[in-house]
Amino acid sequence: MAELNLVEAVNRALAWEMEHDPAVVLLGEDIGVNGGVFRATVGLQQRFGAGRVIDTALAETAIAGTAVGMAAMGLKPVAEIQFSGFIYPTLDHVINHASRLRHRTRGRLTCPLVLRSPCGAGIHAPEHHSESPEALFAHVPGLRVVMPSSPSRAYGLLLAALRDPDPVIFLEPTRLYRLFKQEVADDGAALPLDVCFTLRAGSDVTLVSWGAMLQETQAAAEALAAEGISAEVIDVATLKPLDMATILDSVARTGRCVIVHEAARSGGLGAEIAATLAERGIYSLSAPLQRVTGYDVVIPLARLEYQYLPSVERIVAAVRTTLEAT
Amino acid sequence: MAELNLVEAVNRALAWEMEHDPAVVLLGEDIGVNGGVFRATVGLQQRFGAGRVIDTALAETAIAGTAVGMAAMGLKPVAEIQFSGFIYPTLDHVINHASRLRHRTRGRLTCPLVLRSPCGAGIHAPEHHSESPEALFAHVPGLRVVMPSSPSRAYGLLLAALRDPDPVIFLEPTRLYRLFKQEVADDGAALPLDVCFTLRAGSDVTLVSWGAMLQETQAAAEALAAEGISAEVIDVATLKPLDMATILDSVARTGRCVIVHEAARSGGLGAEIAATLAERGIYSLSAPLQRVTGYDVVIPLARLEYQYLPSVERIVAAVRTTLEAT
Amino acid sequence: MAIVARFQVEYTRFLDPQGEATQPLPPFALDPAALVPLYRAMTQARLFDSKAIALQRTGKIGTFASALGQEAIGIGVASAMRAEDVLVPSYRDHAAQLLRGVSMAESLLYWGGDERGSDFAVPRMDFPIAVPIATQVCHAAGCAYAFKLRGEPRVAVCMLGDGGTSKGDFYEALNLAAVWQAPLVVVVNNNQWAISVPRSQQSAAPTLAQKAIAAGIEGCQVDGNDVVAVHHLAQQVLAKARAGGGPSLIEAISYRLGDHTTADDATRYRDPAEVEAQWTFEPIRRLRNYLLRLQAWGPEQEEQLIGECSAAVNAAVEAYLATPPPGAADMFDHLYATLPAALQEQRAMALHFALRLAPHEGGGGGSHG
Amino acid sequence: MAIVARFQVEYTRFLDPQGEATQPLPPFALDPAALVPLYRAMTQARLFDSKAIALQRTGKIGTFASALGQEAIGIGVASAMRAEDVLVPSYRDHAAQLLRGVSMAESLLYWGGDERGSDFAVPRMDFPIAVPIATQVCHAAGCAYAFKLRGEPRVAVCMLGDGGTSKGDFYEALNLAAVWQAPLVVVVNNNQWAISVPRSQQSAAPTLAQKAIAAGIEGCQVDGNDVVAVHHLAQQVLAKARAGGGPSLIEAISYRLGDHTTADDATRYRDPAEVEAQWTFEPIRRLRNYLLRLQAWGPEQEEQLIGECSAAVNAAVEAYLATPPPGAADMFDHLYATLPAALQEQRAMALHFALRLAPHEGGGGGSHG
Ligand SMILES: Cc1ncc(C[n+]2csc(CCOP(=O)(O)OP(=O)(O)O)c2C)c(N)n1
Ligand SMILES: Cc1ncc(C[n+]2csc(CCOP(=O)(O)OP(=O)(O)O)c2C)c(N)n1
Ligand SMILES: [Mg+2]
Ligand SMILES: [Mg+2]
């Protein structure tokens, strides 16, 4: 087993699937010779050729749109959007076409594409390089939206996305790309989609998060443990469709819930989780749930990004509030 | 006072403001000679000239993007997107530029544009003509999102949007365009933004909705009244920023809440309202709240659209469920 | 100052509006056996078109986009394609679709508001209609890339309108396809109007064909009401694409003789005299005149053809009207390969609250779009 | 077949790489008093550029996009503008921005991750840098429309890269501006690379200037390393735009002598020998050679200039480093004209949980983008 960081895990998953499925093609800006600005595709063009690892012109709309055409004709395109701040021009094709080609044609044509993009703040990147757009996609029927929180989950979830017969938006937190390494068996084993992963069992409060924010969330759980507070930590992982069963089950046991995400608060995915808890888990809740999120402001430039991002301190404070409520 | 339907009210508000503010310009496809495919801009090009009522080429990205430039240079552009299914190419300019120009330049340049678009289903329109994209916009910091539910609110809220110094997404439910008329004083009086309107006072349950769905919601309130159930009906009107104070206050009195919207359920704006209720109004809730929404499916073609849209029956059933819960 | 690049745009026409040859004809155009099927297909498309408008007027289907006067484009192009090629059409391309094997009943189902109308029994790999303008050019470029990568001798043929050439998708896709030298043929139906926006306000470019120059590929103009010219040019660019010669753009100049759609009233923005004058150029009479000259056609054949085509239309209408409505679960059942667990409860709820629909109920009466 | 349209693309150069005139020069180019300010501005921009790279390497600012070798484009264009014109730049246009009056300290603030860097004290109506490629062409077209509508004799000048010409925004905006005949000048800095994608893979079009043909406007090529040629052409198209002659496109051919940004390592995809060879063509030495020939320049002036420019850079760096950090409330205080009630609690929370930052802390160390 190799020690891999998250971006290496993405690279291995892509390589594995390209090796085993000749329909897989990658397309995007700078993904070929340069191996991607984050090196996610390094070595793949040399190995699989420029026909299967396509350095495209600078045209996000057409990257998404041609991927729809490729997918409909039996390829498995994996389109990379260089940073999530540049993903908005893809929305038309994602919403109006990718998500509904199967539906429109009763399955005659399908759209098994994967749209990969780095996301999130915390690496002092330039303007428009730190966005968290997951909620925009998670509202769109017909899509799957996935965000890994570790190298091994990146590897297994990306393989699952690559094998899924429907479109998957796969968002990779840049802050995690090189943050830590993990043993990852490069054995082509996928992890399941559509389910949450419980990262830590606990009995006093359920912490729900995804992507890079699980760093702070897990650190908060550690800090709370030192005070004798037992927090369960859930990695949502597949943001659409949502596995509310796991979350509801956890909250049924803990009676308290804090949802943590980096995207702006209003209309973030945390709202959907909170809403479903309010509909179905309200009798389990011994205290109002809390959301600890990015503020409803434009994600600031580098100097203030850590003023924006939820911190361990904010999460711990929210947990205290739910524990103090009765 | 004239009896106006909603689309006429939109027309009058535009005319009033063009008459009184020379900075107002309209742009969009077919809005000039043709007066708009729904006739919202009928007569305005004749009256104010082709310089201020611009029939654009077919290019939604540039409609939004040039509006940003116009707004920054001191015009008040009102861009029409012909149907909300074609609004997605505007998102890049709306999110990456319109919503943040003031922030980026500390107010040196601002972006007081209004993006108008018909929205919603129920008129047997062709494919891609029945979308409800409000939640996508309501997640974006820096925007205002407004949806009127009657001719008089269309008139007053559109005037408010036109006078707002920041970007406003103004979504007009096509189903209401000609559904009914109302007395509207064409006196240039704006209604307040950022606040809900309570359409009906009640004590047993709070029904929260916006746009065309207030038709079904109010009909449900009527039907419930016949059974002796007193429903308060709130028109959210400004979907971002949300006036949760009014909703929380109502739920504090009624103890029950049903949120009704046409957009797909997951990640719809109902989730944000429900989430905030769960955070701040949970002690007022005597029963789990309910969302009655479009399903998490592609809005179907005309034949099935009324299978998709929340019906009076569904709303009444949801109210019954909350009333039966204890 | 030095001139570093030169370009030109050519215009092709073989038959003038009276159906007389203006220059030596390509071989197929001397052969009635090659031409009569084109005539038949155009006639069938036009009869279908007028029936569809009638069905909309009586509330039996929703908004419909007529191709009146533009039949030579769809028929000229589709007849140059092979079965294994892929058509990526706009909403105004039923002429091409019918020739490709889409049934009239399927088309009516679609316009009647029923997704099953895009589940074509015959051209299984053809794209459904694209309503969001010009998006289909990207899809077609992607299809073409797939064909090229797999070494398949197939061509993706994309149709769009003059308005569509203003949209970013069109340029981005052409540019990418040109870099890829992918087998893509893009046909612009320049019918002079994008709803109410005349061609002159759509672009300051004197021809739309010259938009190809931006992508570094060839663009040409053709008389889009001359099916001989359209078919001939389509054959040429399809052969070129199939042989690895890369993408081409054809601007087919025609005229929208009808309203934009049944929801439109063109008299609000367009002089009826302009429309009247354009009837002189329409493609069906033009080919008929030529066939008459060739003595390959006469009133008897015409009558028989109209009879056959009308019968086919009527049969399609009957089949359409008799199609039982889709059930409420239909919304869920084709969304994903397997319905996610999270959606099963919603599906049950949709069934629980389902309204009952009569055969064509729900689809008709559309008044907008 | 008839030819219905013809086009050509011209290329202009006045000074060859050795600084020798290749053709009769425009009057301003015979006047040292007109040329020295251009030389000075290019030198200042280059010194700023190398200092910014150094600041990034030491963690004092974030990712920075160098304009090394492309100074003649920004300086040649901005020097042809009037104060009341509006510059709509990309992220690689600090040369033009500095000439317009953006201070180096403001630029450093921006690249140091501080929004206050876009609150220019001098060119109050110039746009901030556009990072989302080519979006700015739409903004510039909108500005130009506003000028035209109000009858103001102002021009919107937009800069973008070769890569940007592949993006839909570029084509859509050009097309609209051409229909409007709006006073827009679009300048493409064709520095041959879009990060790792070479010009040849960006488009099959042999020139980028020909993309103008798609919009029906004029496009021309210019030697982007010849500031005389750039300035001359910019003057011409600005005058044309100001006089109501509509938009123009200039493709300025240059070369990116540096990495794409400080986050990039171009040796991964580009032969250092190619870069080496391109140093022959760089603009500053070229103009210096010409000025030497005119006997309008010498080592003494050069030394003095370098001294002055370096001092200005150093003063800017000091001012930048001494700027107190923005407070946490800054995220909220410029979002809307008036902070909505719904956000006041969040603002208070941000202040409650605020981290304390040292002057330039937080902005530096960016390793990506
Ligand atoms: C992206 C997009 N914007 C707007 C519309 C609404 N609309 C439908 S057809 C049309 C005009 C299209 O004109 P053209 O491309 O010339 O095609 P034609 O209808 O003439 O065949 C418009 C604006 C749409 N379908 N898609
Ligand atoms: C829409 C968009 N996509 C991707 C990027 C990431 N990116 C930044 S610069 C660049 C290359 C731009 O090349 P070019 O237009 O030639 O300008 P240059 O950097 O060479 O000046 C890319 C892909 C971006 N900023 N915006
Ligand atoms: Mg047209
Ligand atoms: Mg470049």
Side-chain angles (χ1 to χ4, degrees):
Chain A
M1 285 217 285
E3 284 262 308
L4 303 180
N5 64 28
L6 198 151
V7 75
E8 289 162 348
V10 165
N11 184 272
R12 296 292 170 95
L14 292 171
W16 177 282
E17 204 61 11
M18 291 193 80
E19 187 70 47
H20 292 84
D21 180 356
V24 175
V25 299
L26 316 186
L27 70 160
E29 296 156 10
D30 305 292
I31 67 164
V33 182
N34 193 34
V37 294
F38 284 106
R39 342 282 316 119
T41 53
V42 73
L44 299 180
Q45 191 180 67
Q46 285 98 304
R47 188 157 157 207
F48 299 105
R52 289 182 67 198
V53 181
I54 312 163
D55 266 325
T56 64
L58 213 158
E60 279 79 8
T61 300
I63 288 172
T66 59
V68 168
M70 293 177 192
M73 291 302 117
L75 294 181
K76 169 60 118 184
V78 185
E80 177 179 302
I81 299 301
Q82 204 165 78
F83 289 91
S84 55
F86 313 128
I87 212 166
Y88 308 118
T90 70
L91 281 169
D92 190 28
H93 282 281
V94 168
I95 300 177
N96 275 335
H97 295 294
S99 76
R100 45 183 92 175
L101 190 59
R102 175 189 295 279
H103 175 73
R104 299 180 68 210
T105 65
R106 323 274 84 186
R108 181 173 65 78
L109 299 177
T110 62
C111 200
L113 65 80
V114 175
L115 191 74
R116 290 181 47 243
S117 183
C119 72
I123 59 161
H124 294 325
E127 205 170 5
H128 301 285
H129 286 60
S130 303
E131 327 291 302
S132 294
E134 70 268 20
L136 300 183
F137 292 103
H139 182 45
V140 180
L143 297 182
R144 277 194 165 72
V145 183
V146 178
M147 196 188 295
S149 65
S150 72
S152 61
R153 274 185 301 281
Y155 183 83
L157 291 171
L158 181 51
L159 281 173
L162 290 164
R163 293 169 195 169
D164 194 85
D166 290 306
V168 181
I169 312 299
F170 196 85
L171 298 168
E172 302 162 6
T174 49
R175 190 152 62 95
L176 300 186
Y177 267 156
R178 300 193 158 73
L179 193 66
F180 64 100
K181 296 200 173 209
Q182 244 180 5
E183 296 274 307
V184 180
D186 187 5
D187 57 1
L191 284 169
L193 296 177
D194 301 4
V195 297
C196 298
F197 296 89
T198 301
L199 303 188
R200 177 186 185 113
S203 51
D204 297 329
V205 60
T206 301
L207 306 182
V208 179
S209 190
W210 53 92
M213 270 301 133
L214 278 161
Q215 294 299 309
E216 282 70 18
T217 305
Q218 288 182 287
E222 278 301 328
L224 291 162
E227 301 178 28
I229 299 164
S230 163
E232 181 142 314
V233 176
I234 293 178
D235 176 1
V236 179
T238 297
L239 312 184
K240 183 186 192 74
L242 264 181
D243 169 19
M244 281 303 300
T246 297
I247 298 171
L248 284 162
D249 174 70
S250 173
V251 175
R253 286 183 283 100
T254 62
R256 307 188 191 245
C257 184
V258 174
I259 303 161
V260 182
H261 65 70
E262 180 174 332
R265 177 186 187 83
S266 290
L269 187 68
E272 179 59 32
I273 296 169
T276 309
L277 283 169
E279 289 165 329
R280 318 204 159 178
I282 200 164
Y283 297 119
S284 322
L285 282 171
S286 326
L289 54 80
Q290 298 268 328
R291 285 181 287 167
V292 180
T293 69
Y295 302 112
D296 281 320
V297 302
V298 172
I299 167 85
L301 286 184
R303 258 183 159 181
L304 292 184
E305 65 181 337
Y306 279 96
Q307 305 280 23
Y308 168 90
L309 288 173
S311 59
V312 174
E313 190 193 350
R314 282 176 64 194
I315 301 168
V316 168
V319 169
R320 285 224 183 82
T321 306
T322 75
L323 290 169
E324 281 155 18
T326 37
Chain B
M1 287 218 282
E3 285 262 310
L4 303 180
N5 64 28
L6 198 151
V7 76
E8 289 161 349
V10 165
N11 184 271
R12 296 292 171 96
L14 292 171
W16 178 282
E17 205 60 11
M18 292 193 79
E19 187 70 46
H20 292 83
D21 180 358
V24 175
V25 299
L26 316 186
L27 69 160
E29 296 154 10
D30 305 292
I31 66 164
V33 181
N34 194 34
V37 293
F38 284 106
R39 340 283 318 117
T41 54
V42 73
L44 300 180
Q45 190 180 65
Q46 286 100 304
R47 187 157 156 208
F48 300 104
R52 289 181 67 196
V53 182
I54 313 163
D55 266 325
T56 66
L58 212 158
E60 280 78 9
T61 299
I63 289 172
T66 58
V68 169
M70 293 177 191
M73 292 301 116
L75 295 180
K76 170 59 129 185
V78 184
E80 177 178 303
I81 299 301
Q82 204 165 79
F83 289 91
S84 55
F86 314 129
I87 212 167
Y88 308 117
T90 71
L91 282 169
D92 191 27
H93 283 281
V94 169
I95 300 177
N96 275 335
H97 296 293
S99 76
R100 47 182 92 175
L101 190 59
R102 175 189 293 279
H103 175 74
R104 297 180 70 211
T105 65
R106 322 275 85 185
R108 182 172 64 78
L109 299 178
T110 62
C111 200
L113 64 79
V114 175
L115 190 75
R116 290 181 47 244
S117 183
C119 72
I123 58 162
H124 294 325
E127 206 171 4
H128 302 285
H129 287 59
S130 303
E131 326 291 301
S132 294
E134 69 267 20
L136 301 183
F137 291 104
H139 182 43
V140 180
L143 297 182
R144 276 193 166 72
V145 183
V146 178
M147 197 188 294
S149 65
S150 72
S152 61
R153 275 186 300 282
Y155 183 82
L157 292 171
L158 181 52
L159 280 174
L162 291 164
R163 292 167 195 170
D164 195 83
D166 289 305
V168 180
I169 312 299
F170 196 84
L171 298 168
E172 302 161 5
T174 48
R175 190 153 63 95
L176 300 186
Y177 268 155
R178 301 194 156 72
L179 193 65
F180 63 99
K181 296 201 174 208
Q182 245 180 3
E183 295 275 307
V184 180
D186 187 5
D187 56 1
L191 284 169
L193 297 178
D194 302 3
V195 296
C196 298
F197 296 89
T198 301
L199 303 187
R200 178 188 184 112
S203 50
D204 296 329
V205 61
T206 302
L207 306 182
V208 179
S209 191
W210 52 92
M213 270 301 134
L214 278 161
Q215 293 301 309
E216 282 70 20
T217 304
Q218 289 183 286
E222 278 299 328
L224 291 162
E227 299 178 30
I229 299 165
S230 163
E232 181 142 315
V233 176
I234 293 178
D235 175 1
V236 178
T238 297
L239 311 185
K240 182 185 193 72
L242 263 182
D243 168 19
M244 281 302 302
T246 297
I247 298 170
L248 284 162
D249 174 70
S250 173
V251 175
R253 287 183 283 99
T254 63
R256 309 188 190 245
C257 184
V258 174
I259 303 162
V260 182
H261 65 72
E262 179 173 334
R265 175 185 188 83
S266 290
L269 188 69
E272 179 59 33
I273 296 169
T276 308
L277 284 169
E279 289 166 328
R280 319 205 157 180
I282 200 164
Y283 297 119
S284 323
L285 282 171
S286 327
L289 54 81
Q290 298 267 326
R291 284 181 288 166
V292 181
T293 70
Y295 302 112
D296 282 319
V297 302
V298 172
I299 166 84
L301 286 183
R303 256 183 160 178
L304 292 185
E305 64 181 340
Y306 279 96
Q307 305 280 22
Y308 168 91
L309 288 172
S311 58
V312 174
E313 189 193 353
R314 281 176 64 195
I315 300 168
V316 168
V319 169
R320 286 226 180 80
T321 306
T322 75
L323 290 169
E324 282 155 19
T326 37
Chain C
M1 230 134 51
I3 290 165
V4 289
R6 288 179 208 273
F7 311 95
Q8 60 188 39
V9 174
E10 286 173 359
Y11 174 88
T12 304
R13 164 193 276 179
F14 285 106
L15 298 181
D16 74 9
Q18 288 68 48
E20 250 178 286
T22 58
Q23 57 166 317
L25 294 176
F28 79 87
L30 305 171
D31 176 10
L35 294 178
V36 166
L38 301 182
Y39 185 74
R40 167 181 285 273
M42 291 197 293
T43 304
Q44 179 73 78
R46 187 168 291 181
L47 285 172
F48 171 71
D49 203 291
S50 68
K51 175 61 88 180
I53 293 172
L55 289 170
Q56 191 280 333
R57 299 288 182 234
T58 51
K60 298 276 192 281
I61 63 170
T63 301
F64 176 76
S66 154
L68 184 66
Q70 303 139 73
E71 297 88 351
I73 300 174
I75 299 304
V77 170
S79 59
M81 292 172 67
R82 295 190 187 158
E84 66 270 26
D85 295 337
V86 162
L87 180 71
V88 189
S90 86
Y91 49 82
R92 206 182 292 289
D93 293 316
H94 42 270
Q97 288 188 302
L98 298 184
L99 193 77
R100 294 278 302 158
V102 173
S103 77
M104 290 183 278
E106 285 165 349
S107 188
L108 290 173
L109 266 181
Y110 175 83
W111 293 108
D114 188 328
E115 274 86 357
R116 291 174 299 180
S118 294
D119 186 13
F120 314 143
V122 174
R124 294 294 291 166
M125 301 302 282
D126 279 9
F127 260 67
I129 281 169
V131 170
I133 306 268
T135 52
Q136 72 270 27
V137 194
C138 293
H139 308 159
C143 295
Y145 188 88
F147 302 155
K148 175 161 176 150
L149 180 69
R150 290 191 299 240
E152 297 165 356
R154 300 163 73 185
V155 181
V157 177
C158 181
M159 322 268 292
L160 77 162
D162 44 310
T165 67
S166 295
K167 202 151 172 288
D169 296 59
F170 165 77
Y171 302 97
E172 288 193 6
L174 270 196
N175 188 63
L176 270 182
V179 171
W180 294 338
Q181 286 293 293
L184 172 69
V185 168
V186 176
V187 180
V188 176
N189 169 356
N190 175 0
N191 63 9
Q192 311 300 332
W193 292 90
I195 309 187
S196 71
V197 179
R199 165 63 188 81
S200 59
Q201 274 182 52
Q202 195 62 240
S203 177
T207 73
L208 299 178
Q210 77 200 59
K211 296 194 179 252
I213 297 170
I217 64 171
E218 261 175 68
C220 61
Q221 276 191 337
V222 63
D223 183 336
N225 290 351
D226 173 5
V227 74
V228 169
V230 175
H231 181 80
H232 178 69
L233 269 177
Q235 273 189 326
Q236 289 193 333
V237 297
L238 272 148
K240 179 180 156 197
R242 211 181 300 283
S248 304
L249 178 72
I250 295 179
E251 175 191 2
I253 300 178
S254 184
Y255 191 84
R256 199 191 78 205
L257 289 172
D259 289 335
H260 168 67
T261 64
T262 50
D264 177 52
D265 172 7
T267 61
R268 287 201 295 243
Y269 52 79
R270 162 171 105 160
D271 186 351
E274 174 185 312
V275 183
E276 200 47 47
Q278 286 286 341
W279 272 98
T280 324
F281 304 101
E282 70 92 3
I284 296 188
R285 205 192 44 182
R286 188 182 306 202
L287 184 58
R288 184 165 58 236
N289 283 344
Y290 174 67
L291 287 173
L292 290 170
R293 256 186 208 100
L294 281 190
Q295 302 194 318
W297 200 250
E300 208 170 297
Q301 284 101 322
E302 181 75 13
E303 198 178 316
Q304 195 190 333
L305 176 65
I306 301 286
E308 286 168 15
C309 290
S310 302
V313 169
N314 292 337
V317 172
E318 264 174 52
Y320 162 66
L321 292 175
T323 306
D330 178 274
M331 292 184 272
F332 292 86
D333 292 345
H334 306 276
L335 193 60
Y336 295 92
T338 312
L339 192 69
L343 278 169
Q344 268 145 19
E345 200 175 313
Q346 288 190 26
R347 183 177 184 277
M349 194 189 295
L351 284 173
H352 177 77
F353 285 106
L355 318 164
R356 247 161 305 143
L357 294 180
H360 63 268
E361 197 185 335
S367 57
H368 295 288
Chain D
M1 229 133 49
I3 290 166
V4 288
R6 286 180 211 272
F7 310 95
Q8 60 188 38
V9 174
E10 285 173 0
Y11 173 88
T12 304
R13 163 193 276 181
F14 287 106
L15 298 181
D16 75 8
Q18 286 69 48
E20 253 179 285
T22 59
Q23 59 167 316
L25 295 176
F28 79 88
L30 304 171
D31 176 9
L35 293 179
V36 167
L38 302 182
Y39 184 73
R40 167 181 285 273
M42 290 198 293
T43 304
Q44 179 73 78
R46 187 169 292 181
L47 285 172
F48 172 72
D49 203 291
S50 67
K51 175 61 88 181
I53 293 172
L55 289 170
Q56 191 281 332
R57 298 289 183 234
T58 52
K60 298 275 192 280
I61 63 170
T63 302
F64 177 76
S66 155
L68 184 66
Q70 302 140 73
E71 297 88 353
I73 300 174
I75 299 304
V77 170
S79 59
M81 293 171 68
R82 296 189 187 159
E84 65 269 26
D85 295 337
V86 162
L87 180 71
V88 189
S90 87
Y91 49 84
R92 206 182 292 289
D93 292 317
H94 41 271
Q97 289 188 298
L98 299 184
L99 192 76
R100 295 279 301 159
V102 173
S103 76
M104 289 184 278
E106 285 165 352
S107 188
L108 289 174
L109 265 181
Y110 175 83
W111 293 108
D114 188 330
E115 274 88 357
R116 292 173 298 179
S118 293
D119 186 12
F120 313 142
V122 175
R124 294 293 293 165
M125 300 302 281
D126 279 8
F127 259 68
I129 282 168
V131 170
I133 306 266
T135 53
Q136 72 269 28
V137 194
C138 293
H139 308 159
C143 295
Y145 188 88
F147 303 154
K148 175 160 177 152
L149 181 68
R150 291 191 298 241
E152 297 165 355
R154 299 163 72 185
V155 181
V157 177
C158 180
M159 322 268 292
L160 77 161
D162 44 311
T165 67
S166 295
K167 202 149 170 291
D169 295 61
F170 165 77
Y171 302 97
E172 288 193 5
L174 270 195
N175 188 64
L176 270 183
V179 171
W180 294 338
Q181 287 293 291
L184 172 69
V185 168
V186 176
V187 180
V188 176
N189 170 355
N190 175 0
N191 63 9
Q192 311 300 331
W193 292 90
I195 307 187
S196 71
V197 179
R199 164 64 187 83
S200 59
Q201 273 182 53
Q202 193 63 240
S203 178
T207 73
L208 299 178
Q210 78 200 58
K211 296 194 179 251
I213 298 169
I217 63 171
E218 261 175 67
C220 61
Q221 275 192 339
V222 63
D223 183 336
N225 290 352
D226 173 3
V227 73
V228 169
V230 174
H231 181 79
H232 177 69
L233 269 177
Q235 273 190 325
Q236 288 193 332
V237 297
L238 272 148
K240 178 180 156 194
R242 212 181 300 283
S248 305
L249 178 72
I250 295 179
E251 176 191 1
I253 300 179
S254 182
Y255 192 83
R256 199 191 78 204
L257 288 172
D259 289 335
H260 169 67
T261 64
T262 51
D264 177 51
D265 172 7
T267 60
R268 287 201 295 245
Y269 52 79
R270 160 172 108 159
D271 186 351
E274 175 186 312
V275 183
E276 201 45 46
Q278 286 286 340
W279 272 97
T280 322
F281 304 101
E282 70 93 2
I284 296 188
R285 205 190 45 180
R286 187 181 307 202
L287 183 58
R288 185 165 58 237
N289 284 343
Y290 174 66
L291 288 174
L292 290 171
R293 253 185 212 101
L294 281 191
Q295 301 191 318
W297 200 250
E300 211 171 296
Q301 285 99 322
E302 181 74 12
E303 200 178 313
Q304 197 190 330
L305 176 65
I306 301 286
E308 286 168 15
C309 290
S310 301
V313 168
N314 291 337
V317 172
E318 265 173 52
Y320 162 64
L321 292 176
T323 306
D330 179 273
M331 291 184 275
F332 293 86
D333 292 346
H334 306 276
L335 193 61
Y336 295 92
T338 313
L339 191 69
L343 278 169
Q344 269 146 18
E345 199 175 316
Q346 289 190 25
R347 183 175 184 278
M349 195 189 294
L351 284 172
H352 177 76
F353 285 106
L355 317 165
R356 248 161 304 144
L357 293 180
H360 61 268
E361 198 185 336
S367 58
H368 295 289

